[in-house]
């Protein structure tokens, strides 16, 4: 089945440091890839997405590139802020329409990475 | 910006009781989902709903669970006889089309005593 593996956390950084959170996936078919962020006490918010190989998703200074050859979608930010402290989830979805069943793109999540940024 | 809204934010229920979690998806969305997150674990898919029927469900979604879209705006998850292991955060999500990202609500924290 489909799966997503994220680097283990927690990750603790100083403000303005460079951030990388690794994410790799396995999937049958052609997945779309996502990063969601969860701030304390809130729900999951879409941070960025990429729907095909070599696409780069970007938002709020965060970037991730869909690498089909390495089945990866690593999240990066050049200079983190205290306000970036949150839990980050990598996820994939695949739409399947076949005699064996239909899947309308359920999300498969990684385990989440807690990021704490200190001033 | 339109939001997915979930009520209540926190539900405390005795084991064996029925519970209904409510969601109002974004109005022009067509695909609806429930997920859950047990404390300290991954977010897990429960069920997807399209065109007034379940399109896919996980192994977690057994006979104790059901979903409804009773009036064209609400989307509910019912657990008939709750167990201790049903304690989790439950998230509702929706989207317009299969190429779009899912939008999530803030979740309902369900605590079974």
């Amino acid at each position: 089945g489909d799966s997503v593996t994220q680097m283990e956390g927690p990750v603790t950084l100083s403000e303005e440091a460079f951030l990388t959170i690794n994410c790799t996936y396995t999937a049958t078919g052609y997945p779309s890839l996502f990063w969601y962020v969860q701030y304390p006490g809130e729900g999951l918010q879409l941070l960025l997405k990429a729907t095909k190989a070599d696409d780069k998703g970007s938002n709020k200074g965060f970037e991730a590139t869909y690498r089909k050859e390495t089945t990866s979608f690593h999240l990066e930010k050049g200079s983190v802020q205290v306000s970036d402290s949150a839990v980050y989830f990598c996820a994939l979805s695949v739409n399947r329409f076949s005699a064996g069943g239909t899947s309308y793109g359920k999300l498969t999540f990684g385990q989440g990475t807690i990021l704490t940024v200190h001033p | 910006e339109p939001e997915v809204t979930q009520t209540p934010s926190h539900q405390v229920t005795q084991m064996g009781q029925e519970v209904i979690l409510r969601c109002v998806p974004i109005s022009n969305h067509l695909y609806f989902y429930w997920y859950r997150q047990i404390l300290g674990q991954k977010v897990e898919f429960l069920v997807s709903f399209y065109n007034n029927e379940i399109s896919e469900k996980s192994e977690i979604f057994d006979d104790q669970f059901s979903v409804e879209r009773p009036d064209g705006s609400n989307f509910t998850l019912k657990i008939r006889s709750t167990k201790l292991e049903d304690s989790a955060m439950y998230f509702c999500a929706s989207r317009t089309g299969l190429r779009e990202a899912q939008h999530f609500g803030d979740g309902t924290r369900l605590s079974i005593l």
Side-chain angles (χ1 to χ4, degrees), chain A residues 4 34 36 38 41-46 49 51 89 93 95 97 102-111, chain B residues 31 33 35 37 41-45 48 50 55-56 91 95 98-107:
Chain A
V4 175
F34 306 86
Y36 281 85
Q38 186 177 31
E42 299 184 14
L44 297 163
Q45 299 177 23
L46 177 68
K49 69 174 184 178
T51 58
F89 294 91
S93 73
N95 299 319
F97 308 93
T102 297
S103 177
Y104 288 127
K106 68 181 180 187
L107 285 165
T108 299
F109 286 88
Q111 67 267 41
Chain B
Y31 299 85
Y33 306 83
Y35 296 84
Q37 184 181 28
Q41 298 186 22
K42 287 188 181 186
V43 178
E44 302 172 290
F45 167 76
S48 60
Y50 170 71
S55 49
E56 188 178 8
F91 292 106
R95 61 176 172 175
L98 294 178
R99 291 189 176 276
E100 303 304 315
Q102 294 178 30
H103 295 256
F104 282 78
D106 284 345

Side-chain angles (χ1 to χ4, degrees), chain B residues 17-68:
Chain B
Q17 296 297 304
E18 175 183 285
V19 65
I20 297 176
L21 310 182
R22 302 181 191 280
C23 170
V24 179
I26 296 172
S27 62
N28 63 338
H29 286 193
L30 301 175
Y31 299 85
F32 312 106
Y33 306 83
W34 283 101
Y35 296 84
R36 80 172 185 189
Q37 184 181 28
I38 295 172
L39 188 63
Q41 298 186 22
K42 287 188 181 186
V43 178
E44 302 172 290
F45 167 76
L46 292 177
V47 65
S48 60
F49 193 86
Y50 170 71
N51 201 26
N52 285 320
E53 61 183 19
I54 291 173
S55 49
E56 188 178 8
K57 59 184 180 180
S58 71
E59 293 177 353
I60 302 167
F61 195 88
D62 61 21
D63 291 344
Q64 295 299 314
F65 291 86
S66 62
V67 289
E68 268 194 325

Side-chain angles (χ1 to χ4, degrees), chain B residues 8 10 16 51 85:
Chain B
H10 191 190
N51 201 26
E85 55 264 37

